[in-house]
Amino acid sequence: MAAMRTTNQPGDGRAETGGRQWARADATRKALLDAAQEIFADRGYADTGIAEIVERSGISVGSLYHHYGGKAGIYLALWEDYTAEQERQAALAVVRARKSGEIDPIALFIAGARAFLDVCWQQREASRLFQSGEGPSGFALMRRGRARQWIGQNSKLLRGHGSERAAQVLALVLTTVMGEAGREVAAAEDETEALEIIDEICRILIRLSQPA
Amino acid sequence: MAAMRTTNQPGDGRAETGGRQWARADATRKALLDAAQEIFADRGYADTGIAEIVERSGISVGSLYHHYGGKAGIYLALWEDYTAEQERQAALAVVRARKSGEIDPIALFIAGARAFLDVCWQQREASRLFQSGEGPSGFALMRRGRARQWIGQNSKLLRGHGSERAAQVLALVLTTVMGEAGREVAAAEDETEALEIIDEICRILIRLSQPA
DNA sequence: GTCTATAGTAAGATAGAC
DNA sequence: GTCTATCTTACTATAGAC
């Protein structure tokens, strides 16, 4: 088995008060998340064992269960972090666009979409992980649910598209296109390619958003 | 444990020659595939155990391994059947359209897409299963690979779309939209709704296929 | 909070008779 | 080809000391 670092070095942790303690636990969590992220990305969720996460992180099984309750928990924690950042950036971009005087709904939508895709590129490792489609049981549903909710909010911006069914299908298509676009962006070789793809997607979004 | 039907009834199988023997094995395979299909659709791939398939099909574990080599094998067999039918119908539709004098590439593409979606509706149970995204390790990649290949062929029909990158991204979007459309069609409540969705998707495909 | 050690369980897969 | 019975492995999850 791999040698583990010794813990409880002199002056480290236990005897300290307040903040230092939290820092210790935070470091544990971070080590677990980092290791899990890498391994999940490498082998996929199903083929990753707790043992591997423990080995690579240097943290014990007990701690893993203490903080995350198991494999699914650690995966979901990673996902929460990722989506929170995406939503934050997208919302921020829309606000910024509005402040700078933009009022065209399509332009606002595109601003959000662009921010979303930017995060996909910046966090491409995580993107690749979550968009691979594998995850704990029922995760696909969760993911789809959140995606729909996201596009549902934004599709308020895009009214005037004929029948209700047309609006429904359009929203569906937009959700899907954004998801797949994110995957493609995350898989890009370099930033130039990523930006080209983002531009092209935005063009397609505009085409889709215009009444037929 | 559940009572199993007795096998080797008088006059059944063993002593017969040729064709009858094959019929027996075919029945075994069919029972396994039917049972597996239902259970996979219910609980998802990961949550389905070999034991359940054995129980519902009334076929033994040994036979299952003999024919399909395991859980992944039976899943892939189901998938092969499903995609083969889809490709067959789509190709057929394009040929039919061509024979009836159609030469517009976009119209031909739409004919294939429509046939594809029709199969999604007719085989909605299987569609739901495979488009749920869950499957054996590495299956998502396989699926994506085949989807791309499929659209790659069809996107030859759709030339004249600006830069190479634009064509690439368009092909990507078409693949994705068709996949998601299939999912939505399979989830439709009744045939009327399915047909409405198919029509709407075809409209969107036309919009996407027209040079910007 | 963190660790080691171990319990418990379930599942996939195989062996070999018929 | 089909069946029953069993094996083996691997992994999640817990218990309890520090």
Side-chain angles (χ1 to χ4, degrees), chain A residues 167-199:
Chain A
Q168 170 205 342
V169 172
L170 177 63
L172 173 76
V173 167
L174 288 175
T175 312
T176 314
V177 168
M178 289 304 293
E180 190 68 22
R183 183 178 292 134
E184 200 68 5
V185 166
E189 297 281 328
D190 52 47
E191 188 156 7
T192 308
E193 187 182 346
L195 292 176
E196 278 179 25
I197 295 173
I198 292 176
D199 284 343

Side-chain angles (χ1 to χ4, degrees), chain B residues 105-116:
Chain B
I106 291 178
L108 288 172
F109 173 79
I110 300 279
R114 193 176 280 275
F116 172 92

